[in-house]
Amino acid sequence: MKVIRGGTVVTASDAGPADVLIDGETIAAVGRIGDVDAEVIDATGCYVLPGAIDNHTHMKMPFGGTWSIDDYDTGTQAAAAGGTTSIVDFSIQVHPDGLLQSLEEWQGRAAGTAHVDYGFHMAITNANDATIADMAAIVDAGVTTFKVFLAYRGALMVTDDQFLRVLQESRATGGLVMVHAENGDAIDLLVHQALAGGQTAPRYHAVTRPEVFEAEATGRAVRMAEFAGTPIFIVHVTCRAAAEEIIAGRARGVDAIGETCVQYLTLDVDDLSRDGLDGFEGARYVCSPPLRDRSNQPFMWDAIRLDHLAIVSTDHCPFNDEQKRLGLGDFSKIPNGLALIQHRVNLLWEHGVREGRLTPSRAVELLSTAPARVFGLTGKGSIAPGKDADIAIFDPAREHVFSKATSLMAVDYDLFEGRRTTGSVRTTLVRGTTVWDDGKILTQPGHGRFVRRATYGGTD
Amino acid sequence: MKVIRGGTVVTASDAGPADVLIDGETIAAVGRIGDVDAEVIDATGCYVLPGAIDNHTHMKMPFGGTWSIDDYDTGTQAAAAGGTTSIVDFSIQVHPDGLLQSLEEWQGRAAGTAHVDYGFHMAITNANDATIADMAAIVDAGVTTFKVFLAYRGALMVTDDQFLRVLQESRATGGLVMVHAENGDAIDLLVHQALAGGQTAPRYHAVTRPEVFEAEATGRAVRMAEFAGTPIFIVHVTCRAAAEEIIAGRARGVDAIGETCVQYLTLDVDDLSRDGLDGFEGARYVCSPPLRDRSNQPFMWDAIRLDHLAIVSTDHCPFNDEQKRLGLGDFSKIPNGLALIQHRVNLLWEHGVREGRLTPSRAVELLSTAPARVFGLTGKGSIAPGKDADIAIFDPAREHVFSKATSLMAVDYDLFEGRRTTGSVRTTLVRGTTVWDDGKILTQPGHGRFVRRATYGGTD
Amino acid sequence: MKVIRGGTVVTASDAGPADVLIDGETIAAVGRIGDVDAEVIDATGCYVLPGAIDNHTHMKMPFGGTWSIDDYDTGTQAAAAGGTTSIVDFSIQVHPDGLLQSLEEWQGRAAGTAHVDYGFHMAITNANDATIADMAAIVDAGVTTFKVFLAYRGALMVTDDQFLRVLQESRATGGLVMVHAENGDAIDLLVHQALAGGQTAPRYHAVTRPEVFEAEATGRAVRMAEFAGTPIFIVHVTCRAAAEEIIAGRARGVDAIGETCVQYLTLDVDDLSRDGLDGFEGARYVCSPPLRDRSNQPFMWDAIRLDHLAIVSTDHCPFNDEQKRLGLGDFSKIPNGLALIQHRVNLLWEHGVREGRLTPSRAVELLSTAPARVFGLTGKGSIAPGKDADIAIFDPAREHVFSKATSLMAVDYDLFEGRRTTGSVRTTLVRGTTVWDDGKILTQPGHGRFVRRATYGGTD
Amino acid sequence: MKVIRGGTVVTASDAGPADVLIDGETIAAVGRIGDVDAEVIDATGCYVLPGAIDNHTHMKMPFGGTWSIDDYDTGTQAAAAGGTTSIVDFSIQVHPDGLLQSLEEWQGRAAGTAHVDYGFHMAITNANDATIADMAAIVDAGVTTFKVFLAYRGALMVTDDQFLRVLQESRATGGLVMVHAENGDAIDLLVHQALAGGQTAPRYHAVTRPEVFEAEATGRAVRMAEFAGTPIFIVHVTCRAAAEEIIAGRARGVDAIGETCVQYLTLDVDDLSRDGLDGFEGARYVCSPPLRDRSNQPFMWDAIRLDHLAIVSTDHCPFNDEQKRLGLGDFSKIPNGLALIQHRVNLLWEHGVREGRLTPSRAVELLSTAPARVFGLTGKGSIAPGKDADIAIFDPAREHVFSKATSLMAVDYDLFEGRRTTGSVRTTLVRGTTVWDDGKILTQPGHGRFVRRATYGGTD
């Protein structure tokens, strides 16, 4: 048994001083814990938070002829260092007929390597009969969410009839459908036109993926769900125009749930024009949808404050400079993705809580409780008896400097190099075991386990 | 010490089996509680809920020459019988210059009589210099919310400049402004016209207070707050048109918080045409804003499910048939208000949770956690260590029949007479003391205490 | 020379008594015309209207293995009988590479056969390089509008990148893009599912093309134009949800122009369930998008009154019962289209003007002036000097009964059989020649000429 | 008889070369006019426009202890010099009970003095029984429009019940209600606060009348009309937020008609900070609602192009510098109003037509045809037989420099001093008589006549 003493326990509902008694992997009690025979973890002066959940990561993911550079070992070390105790990673359908083989491959890559718990979403890239037929089995396997891409034509994109089939089947199985909402056809054209016109630098990645096509695809996805009578989850909303389509759908009664990522709150499109690395530094900031004009940010903060958007994740998908250089002379070949999993909690606390935009409870809801509820991580997302003892101890006085030197992410740079926060994650426990403490990873690969997830309850 | 054993503890964040240890008035711990020297309350098979908070009640309120028939004794007995452990009642400014004397009068009427805890809002009816000058003192007294009426011309209504002064001062003091949003000028005209035209029956109450004037005033209130840079709380939203003004304001970044009341989800305008009591039964259903066409109800359920509206209260304001008969021959003299405080939890659970529209956690949020957060009841609204031991034990198998016979409300009828629910509140504790158990009130008047409330944190 | 005397001349701007002097094919003067050596056409008691323009017809169109039953002879006789003096018909790209050959074929079919003037839109079904390259030549040929279908997958549908290319090129050439806005992918799925489930009757045509997919595609089309910086024309808007997407786009500054068709104002989805003809009568009412629930109609009338929608056309595309029976046992094989060109003016006058929803000037604008302006029929659309003498003399006292007996349309039934109007077109002139008078066609095929159209001026 | 030869006649429907034959006061014919015994006015190279109608002027109006400096003589000379052939001026209810006496006073001041035709709106400032009872007589007198002010508390403002009574009675009489939509109560408070805080300069006029309170009052007015089942006319819309309330109302089916004024398209809030005249030059630019941030202007141009707003007027209400100086040291005492009647046509043509935002026909619609239709000037607003021969001959090649030297407005400055346009009104006829030609006024006071107006037809 362990007991965390002296901290301020924060849940999405409330915050106050309390001890947390852990029995094995589970929280046994919260409150005034008398003398018990237990290892004491001192949390004086600290917030005791439910471990953060990052429901949007891509570890060891094949993309554009390479693989994202974090595997489930390095990536989950970084997660733990940043207070994240569970991830839900994307298994991608890489075989055209059916889903089970692809899931097995992802399970295989993750097995025995992770430090924090992990689940999978199943991304459907070919929604034919065989694939649809597998969806129930995937849900039965505890993979209760399906993702479709309306972008990446020729690679991941589904057509709207495929999308609708997935929604229909998800209605039957209880699975929740997640959507990457950008208009892949239109973007594909713009990319070809840009390249044909000699516009090859990283910043054209953003030029060719304008806000309007994110808004369009978002509105389309919401309409699809409206017809299917299902909820819908819109991943990585970046801008006002797209968020307004979600608001409009919700006003019509659609349970449209939107997520944004921490980069859309803290970085912007000008980062794609950074001129280091012989003019190619901007490639590090290439992700999809792209970083946006910073004029969107006040709205985006309002959107997470007022619950127009329910979750802040990372879309962690890291690539080294060498990998990014695949796109030298052709921005469309730059692997898409940012290295962020370690930084989310610190960034959201700094700019959200410390700067007065969010209460601690709302931050916890965005980082942990809402992802747990939406994604069926029934044992996680709060500090409550019976829950897994997934806990982040956050020291609000601890100065933190983002740096490659302190990053556990496998990339050879840090996007926030030199930026500072006051407040940082000090200690991270996953199912009662301390994974990260004061700068060190204490577990071996394999401590993290696959989590079977429940289906979404249908109420946001 | 007491321990509630064997139940399923539900908070806004999560739900699961847990014991609750109570030390004196406070929750000491939640979880696996070993052997302790404590009175055991068995909650096997039951939900253990945070005591419900009714932030919208009118006990012993002067209205139209009479007084609402429940005082703080009977009204809070009924509250407890319905699982409500705190109310926030309205103190009305009945003296033109300043607020303190009015508050004292309300404090005096409540002192020593209540069974559950209570706070006050301060309704401002004359926002002159003396009144504005008192606002800070009112906040200091723990009355952190101010209400203005845009309706009831000649009685309670403020003009928009007064409204704006209240918003400005609330910005300075941290007080949250609540608004009764109906256009009093327009309604006043329609009432006079109806009476002049011989339309005197209760149903003309609804005819003369149409949805469009609620929508108008709601939009106006949101715009006022938008200018003032403050949050705004819209009480008793009844219909889609009004709710859409809130949604529009929130989309513009205004922290506009809407409440509906359980009657707008379960009764409708046709109830005003009930023909019992020699054609005057409809008078029992007269409240403002009025019950609406039932075509609004699916939207209203969506609105509380999707958090367009944040709270479900009652606007409890009971009048006997004899009092209602003040409006015989003139609907405008029917005292406005319904007797509902005892029924809210059962009704919302039946039609919300049992019928699949709400999760238990969302119901708890609507009934307790959100009111606590918005209204600064920092010691209430959740089951967590350090919180007041305000608890409702809800037995989902218990059959309940609404009836005058089982109502503790002072009115001589029951609006839901004969309607049934499966599931009912069995036991209610207020600060560790059992107030209601299995059909009986166990406390004496005065158990309930005045609660000083904190200011709204500014994040919804 | 001819002079029309004694009537009330109605234009979109005004209405008043005036004579109209015609010199050859052209209006020479309007007003008080003294003694002139001219044939007198008496219009006493009648409205003298600009000839109606039907910008949405399909004569002799290949569809689903058959051809629409009106050719440019019968179809334009019916047009003239209904007061329509110009049509803009759809030439369909039936050859994959380029547009010119298809246009030539359509020109060939029409040449020498029509009684009223005609232009062509060019429907693009394969927007490849060769096709895009032809667009400028098409515009030069006086065919200044291009249509794309977001429906009819596998037949006419374009993908969004093709759509965008057409928009981009239209921006360069000045061509206006028209969109059939239904989501073809989603509909295709629903159709297959319905047929697989044994739902084969005509009414399933409507079930499988729900409003939400029209709204979706409408919103998508508006977003595409928003990006391209072009105007966009949405054909045959049927319902509130779709019209609201147009309103939203216009509020963002997009010049999105919507058209509805007279059937969406006067028929409804229940007509698809008509049980005559051994249960197959409903097939006569199969068009796309389908007829809608009649609850849309008050909004649709508001929409044309308040200029949310700018034009009322017919989408005339007639098929005999025998042709409709291609879909016996499979609604998806029912040729889509209604026979309506003769009835538009009478229907809009009856239900619009006579019933008080529209002024005569607004009716003229919807039927003639707006189509002329939007579609570049610079010589038409008004009664003004220099304009073609295209005139409909409408007798408001003339009783009319819709009937196969009086229909000049080639179909073997009349959709409105037995319905009556008070007021009917008495006489129709095209470029100064009387084509229709008092029940008779007076011209030979070939009187109608191809009209080269100007490009849209870009201001609605 | 006169004949205008060689010009391009522009109406709201079309534009083309035509002669205009005038017989006495009336247009006899338009088109090819052969040899007639008539005075020839050469319009070669010019546009022949329907005389502009300015439906929003304040001649000789009492305001804040002074009178607007133009009377019906000087003001209508300036009107004619700017191509405006009719004005609809505001008669203000200056006697509390009833309207007739006030109208008589206005009629008396105007009688025998004007050069162009004029009508009156009746502004209602005290909607009591006597006043309402007079409305029918006012309509019978040809004054078919009523204005209410939601601003100017203590002077002109009506309460919402008064507003509603006016709407109800207007529904009965056919009168159209116009609204000055700013929240007078809120503004009144802000003005007092600003002055109390020493903020006395002209620019605080704008600070104390923010956009949000215009948007609020606009939304309120639309809701009022929605309830009353009447159309509503919103005068001088200045900004996006207010226009969006009109768009929203129209989308709900309300016939809400919006007007903007040429100053909101061409001047902006920074003009209130002009520092000439010892820092008081900004006072010249004080009007209500105030000039806005120029970021609104692209939207405002879209709004008139896309018919979200239907009319561009001036709200002409001129005050000399000496009068403006009444507000030295107290901006609230600066007489509100701008001198603009002479400049509207030239400005709208320059920035609208010449710069490509509007077609000539749309400009004519905004300046003349729409005001004529909405305000029941049945004999005006177009160039058509039977219409009054009110004509502006506009020479698109004529260079014009705005200047006090060439202004006929009575103020001792010109707001646009030194700004240039290419294109200017050369000749203006009112009922067949040339009032203005090539820089000179040719008529005597009294040529202009009172115009009885019809009621609004109810269709926008």
Side-chain angles (χ1 to χ4, degrees), chain D residues 119-319:
Chain D
F120 288 112
H121 313 285
M122 188 74 227
I124 292 176
T125 60
N126 187 35
N128 63 10
D129 288 347
T131 299
I132 298 294
D134 272 359
M135 286 177 65
I138 295 289
V139 170
D140 286 346
V143 173
T144 55
T145 39
F146 299 94
K147 182 180 183 182
V148 297
F149 294 85
L150 304 182
Y152 299 120
R153 181 160 75 159
L156 303 167
M157 192 171 96
V158 296
T159 51
D160 286 348
D161 53 321
Q162 294 180 311
F163 179 15
L164 184 53
R165 288 193 75 182
V166 173
L167 283 166
Q168 290 174 326
E169 183 66 10
S170 78
R171 189 172 189 205
T173 63
L176 173 67
V177 180
M178 309 165 76
V179 184
H180 177 130
E182 291 187 291
N183 189 307
D185 280 341
I187 287 167
D188 196 60
L189 175 65
L190 296 187
V191 167
H192 280 90
Q193 290 175 333
L195 293 174
Q199 299 174 324
T200 64
R203 69 189 182 85
Y204 291 102
H205 175 75
V207 171
T208 57
R209 305 184 85 97
E211 295 181 9
V212 69
F213 290 138
E214 182 189 346
E216 181 283 315
T218 301
R220 179 156 36 114
V222 173
R223 288 288 190 189
M224 289 284 168
E226 188 172 0
F227 174 76
T230 60
I232 188 86
F233 188 90
I234 312 292
V235 300
H236 48 44
V237 176
T238 71
C239 60
R240 181 167 201 151
E244 287 181 336
E245 295 283 351
I246 291 175
I247 294 169
R250 292 176 67 84
R252 296 195 303 267
V254 182
D255 188 3
I257 312 163
E259 157 203 270
T260 190
C261 304
V262 72
Q263 56 269 39
Y264 302 114
L265 299 164
T266 56
L267 299 171
D268 64 64
V269 70
D270 291 346
D271 288 306
L272 277 85
S273 297
R274 287 183 180 228
D275 58 5
L277 301 175
D278 295 325
F280 203 63
E281 185 184 358
R284 292 174 173 172
Y285 296 85
V286 165
C287 57
S288 293
L291 300 174
R292 300 296 188 192
D293 189 272
R294 71 169 63 90
S295 61
N296 280 291
Q297 291 182 358
F299 178 87
M300 294 301 286
W301 282 104
D302 280 345
I304 59 172
R305 182 171 63 90
L306 296 172
D307 206 24
H308 301 312
L309 302 176
I311 287 173
V312 177
S313 69
T314 65
D315 195 8
H316 178 74
C317 191
F319 295 97

Side-chain angles (χ1 to χ4, degrees), chain A residues 12-14 18 23 28-32 240 250-251 253-255 299 302 305-308 357 359 382 384-385 387 458-460, chain B residues 12-14 18 23 28-32 240 250-251 253-255 299 302 305-308 359 382 384-385 387 458-460:
Chain A
S13 305
D14 41 67
D23 186 1
V30 182
R32 200 180 61 204
R240 180 168 201 151
R250 292 175 67 84
V254 182
D255 188 3
F299 177 87
D302 280 344
R305 182 172 62 90
L306 297 171
D307 206 24
H308 300 312
R357 296 183 180 95
T359 60
S382 195
K387 295 281 182 190
T459 302
D460 180 18
Chain B
S13 304
D14 40 67
D23 186 2
V30 182
R32 200 179 61 204
R240 180 167 201 152
R250 293 174 68 83
V254 182
D255 189 3
F299 178 87
D302 280 344
R305 181 172 62 92
L306 296 172
D307 206 23
H308 301 313
T359 61
S382 195
K387 294 281 182 192
T459 302
D460 179 18

Side-chain angles (χ1 to χ4, degrees), chain A residues 404-424:
Chain A
K404 175 57 199 143
T406 55
S407 166
L408 300 191
M409 298 182 284
V411 289
D412 48 5
Y413 54 84
D414 192 290
L415 296 173
F416 290 83
E417 188 73 37
R419 271 172 73 159
R420 290 163 178 279
T421 65
T422 298
S424 187

